[in-house]
Amino acid sequence: MIPEIDAVCPTEFIIEPYEVEAKLSRIDTHKSNGPDELPNWFLKEFSVFLAEPVCSVFNASVREGIVPSIWKLANVVPIPKVNTPKEISKDIRPISLTPTLSKVIESFVGQWVLQHIESKLDVRQYGCLKGKSTTHELVDLLHHWHQALDKNQSIRAVFIDYAKAFDHVDHSIVIRKLIKLGVPNILVRWICSFLQDRHQRIKLSNTFSDWLTLKGAMPQGSWLGPLTFIVLMDDLSTGCLMHKYVDDTTLSEIIGKDRVSQMEQFFGEVLDWSALNLMNINTSKTKEMIIGNTITTSPPLQLFCGNESIERVISFKLLGILIDNNLKWDSHINSICSKASSRLHFLVQLKRNGASVDDMVHFYQTVIRPVLEYACPAWHTSLTAEQHNKLESTQKRALKIIYGQSPHYDEICQTYAHEKLIDRRVVLCKTFFNSITNINSCLNYLLPQTRSSDAVQRLRKPNYLVADIPRTTRFQKSFLIHALNNYQ
């Protein structure tokens, strides 16, 4: 049931012209506009003059709980998930290009919704929320795994993938959950209008398909799409450790020596929730991995989703990093070095076509180097010397392409003021550790209790946080233990 319109719009949900002007002035003009064909450059350049009339339309829309039909249209652009797509159903991600003004008002409504529900959301939901990221989830997950292995326990992990997750969202279920979370009626009514009678068409270059009316789903590319999906996933829980990044869900069962796995029960709870919420698990992409020695001698029975078995793997790519079942990083380092090396080809082409040194350096720093540093707090402290050198060799090749041959890598870095990758990763790890020492950080709970100032003053090494004494070298090299011992 759609909530009734409030007699008076609360002042907290009234938008001011200066707020609209601020958002319009920050529009990225390089992004495509939606079916309304209002150019982004026009909205940005004339933001001062458009702010007041646009603000009036926004306030009327919120007050009446009606989203204009033009804002509910979308051009869907197929984006490949892999370099060479082979199947439309598996290898293509549909991204919705919605009107820019729709995204602006969505950002206002989304911020209001978050203010009411953020404190109620699952603390281990790391997707699309301020102060949380893939790196936060990976560090949290790997810390629990390293800690379990240090106690001579094993981990049985299940990586769950939902088939066309955004396309299977039932609007009525989402609305019920928004109401249950205490979202004000005026916002729920607006979101109801936002979800109803949406139309989309496929866009390929300048060719368009016919319009299609949606009966469900969330538009990928809208501001509210990920937020409403997080609301849908919020009450998914089991009896074991669970981490979520939007729809990517990881179950981690910690199994002690001589204990029997209960993952069949936990996975069954996920299957029941999925059926209740009309979500379909993609069996071909859902994998299981066993980490540790205590249960590998007598592996537990395979999991099943319906009549299909869940494949047991020794390596899995989670949120962009390759994790092996021995928690070593050979596969990941080989993968990112290979990916970065393939991009060096474009650097060579730039040089052959007369690109300036500054342009080539910019290309390297924005397209190639980030591949070698992505989520580095999760893996940097556990690397071997050989793995460090392999990463460094990729930058060495890039700099030689840019500047020409030089007798020594150190000389290139010193002459042209380039930091070594290992030094950059140390800084990134220290920065990340400092961020989680903030009491408001989502990972602050992992830190040990702070020593008193009096106790610290009597110590030669004034550390306020004391790391546990690890039993294994692997745990000692994990991010949090290493950071506590070296970054304070």
Side-chain angles (χ1 to χ4, degrees):
M1 181 179 178
I2 300 176
E4 296 180 359
I5 300 176
D6 296 331
V8 179
C9 181
T11 55
E12 62 179 309
F13 303 136
I14 295 177
I15 303 168
E16 298 293 340
Y18 75 88
E19 296 175 299
V20 175
E21 194 276 330
K23 287 186 181 289
L24 293 180
S25 66
R26 293 196 297 268
I27 290 174
D28 186 351
T29 56
H30 294 94
K31 291 187 176 180
S32 301
N33 54 289
D36 61 351
E37 298 184 355
L38 264 177
N40 286 338
W41 67 263
F42 174 78
L43 295 173
K44 182 173 183 176
E45 293 295 328
F46 295 92
S47 59
V48 174
F49 307 102
L50 293 171
E52 192 163 341
V54 169
C55 181
S56 297
V57 175
F58 283 179
N59 283 323
S61 175
V62 174
R63 182 176 60 252
E64 302 296 330
I66 298 175
V67 178
S69 298
I70 189 68
W71 291 353
K72 294 192 281 187
L73 302 179
N75 291 330
V76 177
V77 178
I79 303 296
K81 294 182 181 180
V82 293
N83 289 335
T84 308
K86 296 180 180 179
E87 295 184 44
I88 292 179
S89 60
K90 294 181 180 179
D91 300 335
I92 297 293
R93 178 179 286 109
I95 299 298
S96 300
L97 301 178
T98 56
T100 301
L101 288 180
S102 174
K103 293 178 184 176
V104 174
I105 190 172
E106 284 178 62
S107 69
F108 284 109
V109 175
Q111 288 165 1
W112 294 332
V113 170
L114 265 179
Q115 289 172 6
H116 284 84
I117 70 172
E118 192 166 15
S119 61
K120 305 172 186 176
L121 293 176
D122 187 345
V123 295
R124 289 202 170 92
Q125 170 60 263
Y126 291 91
C128 302
L129 295 172
K130 187 177 180 180
K132 296 185 175 183
S133 66
T134 53
T135 304
H136 286 87
E137 174 172 335
L138 290 166
V139 167
D140 187 28
L141 181 71
L142 288 169
H143 177 74
H144 283 90
W145 288 1
H146 280 113
Q147 193 173 51
L149 294 176
D150 195 63
K151 296 177 181 178
N152 202 29
Q153 298 171 321
S154 291
I155 302 100
R156 188 179 186 186
V158 179
F159 309 100
I160 297 172
D161 181 85
Y162 284 100
K164 300 292 181 183
F166 277 69
D167 295 337
H168 286 88
V169 173
D170 185 276
H171 293 168
S172 60
I173 294 175
V174 171
I175 294 302
R176 286 199 297 269
K177 293 187 178 185
L178 285 169
I179 294 172
K180 188 176 179 180
L181 285 169
V183 176
N185 286 350
I186 189 171
L187 300 182
V188 174
R189 185 175 181 85
W190 191 92
I191 293 173
C192 285
S193 178
F194 173 80
L195 296 175
Q196 286 179 343
D197 300 320
R198 298 193 66 88
H199 298 78
Q200 67 181 33
R201 61 183 178 182
I202 306 296
K203 178 185 177 183
L204 286 173
S205 298
N206 294 319
T207 305
F208 298 89
S209 69
D210 294 331
W211 288 104
L212 173 70
T213 302
L214 299 181
K215 297 180 180 179
M218 288 293 169
Q220 294 194 56
S222 65
W223 204 99
L224 277 177
L227 178 60
T228 48
F229 193 88
I230 286 172
V231 170
L232 174 69
M233 297 289 294
D234 185 60
D235 59 355
L236 170 59
S237 63
T238 65
C240 68
L241 185 66
M242 176 184 289
H243 290 79
K244 306 173 192 172
Y245 193 89
V246 192
D247 62 318
D248 287 325
T249 304
T250 304
L251 307 183
S252 302
E253 182 189 14
I254 310 298
I255 306 173
K257 193 173 183 179
D258 301 325
R259 295 296 182 97
V260 178
S261 172
Q262 301 180 52
M263 183 56 78
E264 291 85 354
Q265 175 187 336
F266 303 141
F267 188 61
E269 292 172 6
V270 175
L271 293 176
D272 292 341
W273 180 93
S274 302
L276 189 63
N277 289 271
L278 308 180
M279 299 290 289
N280 299 326
I281 290 179
N282 186 345
T283 311
S284 64
K285 291 186 177 181
T286 297
K287 308 294 182 183
E288 176 191 3
M289 188 162 69
I290 294 178
I291 305 165
N293 300 320
T294 59
I295 59 173
T296 52
T297 53
S298 55
L301 296 175
Q302 212 161 11
L303 298 173
F304 283 85
C305 179
N307 296 323
E308 298 183 64
S309 62
I310 303 300
E311 182 185 2
R312 189 170 291 166
V313 296
I314 60 173
S315 182
F316 185 81
K317 192 170 189 178
L318 177 64
L319 301 180
I321 72 168
L322 266 173
I323 302 177
D324 292 342
N325 64 347
N326 57 10
L327 297 190
K328 295 182 180 180
W329 297 103
D330 297 293
S331 298
H332 180 64
I333 298 304
N334 291 338
S335 174
I336 62 176
C337 285
S338 175
K339 185 176 180 180
S341 296
S342 67
R343 298 185 182 192
L344 292 179
H345 166 74
F346 299 104
L347 199 58
V348 173
Q349 296 303 313
L350 285 172
K351 186 165 187 177
R352 286 178 178 172
N353 286 277
S356 67
V357 169
D358 289 343
D359 287 341
M360 288 189 288
V361 169
H362 180 73
F363 179 84
Y364 169 70
Q365 292 178 345
T366 56
V367 177
I368 300 175
R369 191 172 67 186
V371 173
L372 304 171
E373 296 177 341
Y374 169 72
C376 65
W379 47 265
H380 164 75
T381 58
S382 299
L383 297 187
T384 64
E386 182 181 354
Q387 291 165 345
H388 281 300
N389 291 335
K390 188 164 188 176
L391 290 169
E392 217 68 57
S393 67
T394 306
Q395 175 165 278
K396 182 178 180 180
R397 290 168 58 199
L399 296 184
K400 283 190 175 182
I401 292 170
I402 296 171
Y403 299 110
Q405 294 297 322
S406 179
H408 202 278
Y409 173 54
D410 290 339
E411 183 180 331
I412 300 177
C413 292
Q414 185 175 0
T415 304
Y416 299 104
H418 285 286
E419 295 176 283
K420 289 188 175 182
L421 292 179
I422 188 170
D423 296 330
R424 284 183 51 82
R425 290 197 304 275
V426 168
V427 172
L428 290 170
C429 288
K430 286 182 178 179
T431 302
F432 185 81
F433 175 71
N434 289 334
S435 73
I436 68 175
T437 58
N438 187 316
I439 191 66
N440 296 318
S441 170
C442 61
L443 296 187
N444 186 262
Y445 82 98
L446 293 175
L447 299 177
Q449 189 173 359
T450 306
R451 283 171 166 166
S452 66
S453 299
D454 293 338
V456 171
Q457 289 174 359
R458 294 194 296 268
L459 299 173
R460 283 182 296 178
K461 190 175 180 181
N463 289 348
Y464 282 89
L465 300 167
V466 186
D468 294 334
I469 299 176
R471 187 180 63 86
T472 60
T473 303
R474 177 169 46 195
F475 190 35
Q476 186 176 8
K477 289 185 175 181
S478 67
F479 171 74
L480 195 61
I481 302 301
H482 179 88
L484 288 168
N485 289 327
N486 296 277
Y487 297 160
Q488 294 189 73

